[in-house]
Amino acid sequence: MVTPIEQRYINLHPGSAERYATAKDIFPDGVTHDGRRLSPFPIYATHGQGAHKWDVDGNRIIDYWTGHGSMILGHSHPDVVAAVTEQMKLGSHLSASSDLEIRWGQQVQELIPCAERVRFHSSGTEATMMGMRMARAYTGKTKIIKFDQHFHGWHDYASAGGSGLGGLPKETLSTMIVLPPNDISLVEKAIQDDGDVAALILEPTGAHMGQIPIKPSFLGELREVTERYGVVLIFDEVVTGFRTSKGGAQEYYGVTPDMASLAKILGGGLPGGAICGKAGIINTIQTTDDPEYNQFRRVGHNGTFNANPLSAAAGTTALNLVATTPVNEIANARAARMKQGFNDLLSRMEIPGCASGIASVVFLRLGVDHQCDKEVCIMTPEDMAVAGDAARTAQLNLGLLNQGIHAGNRFLTMAAHSEDDIDEAVEATGRVLTDLRGLGLV
Ligand code: PMP
């Protein structure tokens, strides 16, 4: 049965429906990213400007997906457009080192506390893969500890503990130890019992961009235990880097890991990734005079598009704006206004739930009555399951798109969002909640 929300979605998006009919004979599920699957069909976008984007049917959408978290300046920021346009005229790949990559690397060193050395990639997946490998080369050990549902990209090791495990050798998965977060005694026991742990990697605000938060005190505990056992601590700052604060979650919480993976905001909206950290660990890539070392112990690393000039042009421009203008402060203020708006709305409508999140990330949780500090909202797994109810979330996604809001139960704010964009999103959410109530979903 088609719900009124779905029917309205179908009516508002005929052009997207038409494209999807073609796309599903080209791409599995009709899409090019698991996260863009949407029933009955996804939207097809044409262009973006600032906080807004448009779909093929001419609908204007306030964007809270924000390039999967890579845009904090807004779409087509004029400085980024100018830098990339200029670089395009000069060449997009000169098969050579460049001034741009030096500046880009220096900015990472200046902003991210652990970044003594840097190596660029094209994505966050590559950055976490390289981080794990460097830690293994550095320590001479094999195992990596990760936490339940923490996402580190789609490479074989990162996939452990997740779903979609087809094609992964069990030998590969057996090198990963997956633990529940927030219990330091389990971490210490795993390190002791195994004796072959090279590194521990985590999303430093919690799984799925902080959707399942960790206790902030857990970070300090991890730092202490990993240091004591000589285990490399990797913060996956692909989302939190340049967002949770200018220096990432490590600066925000004052806990410096040994390494950090970066991507998203790093690339200014173009593909880009980096692993950074202690010189001794990142230098496992460095060649030496010892042929035996170079062959068997050095970490080899190529990559056609590492530090490519277009990404470097966009990335240096974005990081310069992050470093010298109140980009984070504005995005954070917008998120704070949104959280307040949502929490007021929920009280007014007497709907159980809350809006929480750190810095410029807002999570809307419905269906659970509870207390939290509206920043780090830790719920029981049972309550999380209620809040994450798939049927409700699906209707919420479509309902918000019908109102010209691309979000879901997660909203990422940008400096480009105006207060009006926030207020419009809150009001639109109120209308969707009324519809959800009509469907018995809240
Ligand atoms: N780590 C985290 C924490 C992420 O959120 C993501 C992507 N959402 C990745 C790694 C992978 O990055 P990419 O998509 O650039 O490969």
Side-chain angles (χ1 to χ4, degrees):
M1 198 200 70
V2 176
T3 68
I5 289 177
E6 285 161 355
Q7 191 55 57
R8 186 162 159 73
Y9 183 82
I10 292 165
N11 296 345
L12 282 171
H13 303 96
S16 286
E18 197 183 315
R19 274 132 183 112
Y20 182 64
T22 305
K24 63 186 170 44
D25 292 335
I26 307 172
F27 309 119
D29 288 334
V31 291
T32 53
H33 185 303
D34 278 359
R36 289 184 212 142
R37 287 177 301 198
L38 191 65
S39 177
F41 51 81
I43 52 157
Y44 286 75
T46 53
H47 62 291
Q49 185 64 60
H52 304 136
K53 61 188 177 190
W54 284 263
D55 69 12
V56 289
D57 293 295
N59 297 304
R60 190 209 69 163
I61 296 162
I62 309 178
D63 192 8
Y64 292 101
W65 262 59
T66 69
H68 297 231
S70 62
M71 323 289 305
I72 197 163
L73 303 173
H75 294 291
S76 308
H77 187 283
D79 294 3
V80 176
V81 171
V84 174
T85 306
E86 194 48 41
Q87 186 56 43
M88 194 64 210
K89 290 186 217 152
L90 298 171
S92 59
H93 197 318
L94 303 174
S95 313
S97 302
S98 69
D99 283 346
L100 273 176
E101 73 186 17
I102 291 180
R103 184 66 206 122
W104 206 14
Q106 282 172 336
Q107 288 173 318
V108 173
Q109 283 180 324
E110 285 157 15
L111 288 167
I112 303 294
C114 77
E116 291 172 15
R117 291 287 180 282
V118 183
R119 184 79 164 204
F120 286 112
H121 312 276
S122 296
S123 69
T125 296
E126 289 172 74
T128 65
M129 182 164 64
M130 178 52 86
M132 292 184 194
R133 184 159 164 212
M134 284 172 162
R136 287 171 162 143
Y138 181 73
T139 59
K141 296 184 174 170
T142 304
K143 306 279 177 58
I144 309 279
I145 296 176
K146 75 180 284 282
F147 293 110
D148 271 340
Q149 296 204 45
H150 282 222
F151 185 72
H152 305 296
W154 57 265
H155 61 81
D156 290 3
Y157 301 108
S159 302
S163 77
L165 298 179
L168 291 182
K170 61 180 182 323
E171 292 81 0
T172 303
L173 294 176
S174 72
T175 67
M176 300 296 297
I177 299 171
V178 184
L179 298 177
N182 292 331
D183 186 343
I184 196 64
S185 66
L186 289 180
V187 173
E188 185 161 9
K189 185 166 178 337
I191 295 172
Q192 275 175 344
D193 288 354
D194 193 87
D196 191 26
V197 176
L200 182 150
I201 187 167
L202 81 162
E203 288 190 72
T205 57
H208 308 301
M209 306 190 176
Q211 184 156 29
I212 310 175
I214 57 166
K215 287 186 291 183
S217 59
F218 190 52
L219 293 177
E221 294 168 358
L222 287 173
R223 178 66 288 183
E224 192 278 316
V225 165
T226 51
E227 204 154 80
R228 191 143 44 84
Y229 288 94
V231 169
V232 174
L233 179 62
I234 310 173
F235 279 8
D236 181 356
E237 298 241 35
V238 164
V239 171
T240 54
F242 319 109
R243 178 182 293 281
T244 306
S245 74
K246 293 177 198 293
Q250 55 192 280
E251 181 184 68
Y252 187 75
Y253 286 115
V255 176
T256 307
D258 300 303
M259 304 173 90
S261 46
L262 302 167
K264 302 206 189 256
I265 293 173
L266 173 79
L270 267 68
I275 187 79
C276 63
K278 285 199 172 132
I281 309 175
I282 305 293
N283 281 346
T284 48
I285 284 186
Q286 195 150 290
T287 43
T288 68
D289 295 336
D290 176 357
E292 203 268 351
Y293 173 91
N294 289 343
Q295 182 170 3
F296 296 107
R297 290 167 53 208
R298 185 182 91 82
V299 174
H301 179 228
N302 302 301
T304 301
F305 285 100
N306 294 348
N308 89 82
L310 293 185
S311 297
T316 49
T317 306
L319 294 192
N320 186 44
L321 288 166
V322 164
T324 61
T325 67
V327 167
N328 299 87
E329 291 79 354
I330 296 171
N332 293 355
R334 298 296 178 263
R337 185 179 180 92
M338 179 173 261
K339 280 192 285 186
Q340 184 71 48
F342 281 153
N343 284 312
D344 291 348
L345 182 71
L346 293 173
S347 308
R348 216 167 40 245
M349 294 184 75
E350 296 182 1
I351 292 175
C354 74
S356 62
I358 298 167
S360 46
V361 188
V362 177
F363 297 104
L364 179 61
R365 291 185 175 151
L366 300 172
V368 184
D369 216 352
H370 74 113
Q371 293 295 321
C372 72
D373 68 5
K374 310 292 189 276
E375 185 165 78
V376 178
C377 172
I378 298 183
M379 284 184 174
T380 61
E382 295 72 34
D383 281 352
M384 280 303 290
V386 174
D389 178 77
R392 187 201 306 116
T393 305
Q395 297 299 312
L396 177 68
N397 279 337
L398 297 180
L400 286 173
L401 276 168
N402 289 343
Q403 301 285 335
I405 309 290
H406 194 197
N409 44 26
R410 184 191 67 215
F411 297 71
L412 299 172
T413 56
M414 313 187 273
H417 285 124
S418 66
E419 292 189 344
D420 284 350
D421 290 322
I422 302 299
D423 296 346
E424 201 176 318
V426 172
E427 282 160 28
T429 302
R431 290 191 288 277
V432 178
L433 289 176
T434 302
D435 290 346
L436 293 183
R437 183 173 263 162
L439 291 168
L441 290 171
V442 289

